[in-house]
Amino acid sequence: MTALRNTRKYKFDAVEVEEKELDKMDVPISVVKQIENSESDLINYTEEGSQLVANVLLANDNRENNRRETDKSERDIRLKAVELESEVANAKFMEISCQWPIILKKNDALEIHEHLELQKNRGKLDQDGTSERSLLLFRFSQ
């Protein structure tokens, strides 16, 4: 802003020099008035232009801040979904892990085979696309 004031001061000094030159040349008063009006208009346009540029910069900063807030909220939602999935997967892992000591204590091969098939089926349910993880991945990929 001080640069603008200094520029105006310089312009006003230049105007005084020009007025002295114009007085020497006997320029009509209407031309002098037109020059003064034009100078005033130019100063006003310069100030208005500076204000418009400042407004555009502020609007751009606002837009960027809104974008960052939106990105953060979406990232937080995805993080919570992944944490929930992790808890569910950990619970399933613990459930399956608890079954192994029981299976290993059995001596009957048929019972061991049945338990192994049961464990395989539980694993297949998680891999066939119906698991919560697959649904979450599908939903966040869109």
Side-chain angles (χ1 to χ4, degrees), residues 81-95 126 131-133 136:
V82 168
E83 287 173 350
L84 178 63
E85 177 195 350
S86 173
E87 290 173 7
V88 169
N90 194 22
K92 286 182 181 181
F93 175 76
M94 294 304 290
E95 179 184 338
D126 289 340
S131 70
E132 293 177 31
R133 178 176 183 252
L136 286 172

Side-chain angles (χ1 to χ4, degrees), residues 8-27 32 35-36 39:
R8 278 193 224 145
K9 182 180 178 188
Y10 174 75
K11 287 180 181 178
F12 289 130
D13 291 341
V15 168
E16 290 176 10
V17 170
E18 289 176 10
E19 285 177 0
K20 289 178 184 177
E21 291 175 4
L22 289 176
D23 287 341
K24 292 178 186 175
M25 294 174 25
D26 293 329
V27 178
V32 172
I35 291 172
E36 290 172 356
E39 182 181 358

Side-chain angles (χ1 to χ4, degrees), residues 68-80:
R68 286 180 183 165
E69 288 176 10
T70 303
D71 286 350
K72 183 184 181 305
S73 65
E74 290 175 354
R75 186 174 48 248
D76 289 344
I77 290 170
R78 286 191 301 266
L79 180 63
K80 287 180 183 177

Side-chain angles (χ1 to χ4, degrees), residues 1 13 34 61 67 69:
M1 199 56 133
D13 291 341
Q34 181 63 39
D61 288 344
R67 185 193 62 81
E69 288 176 10

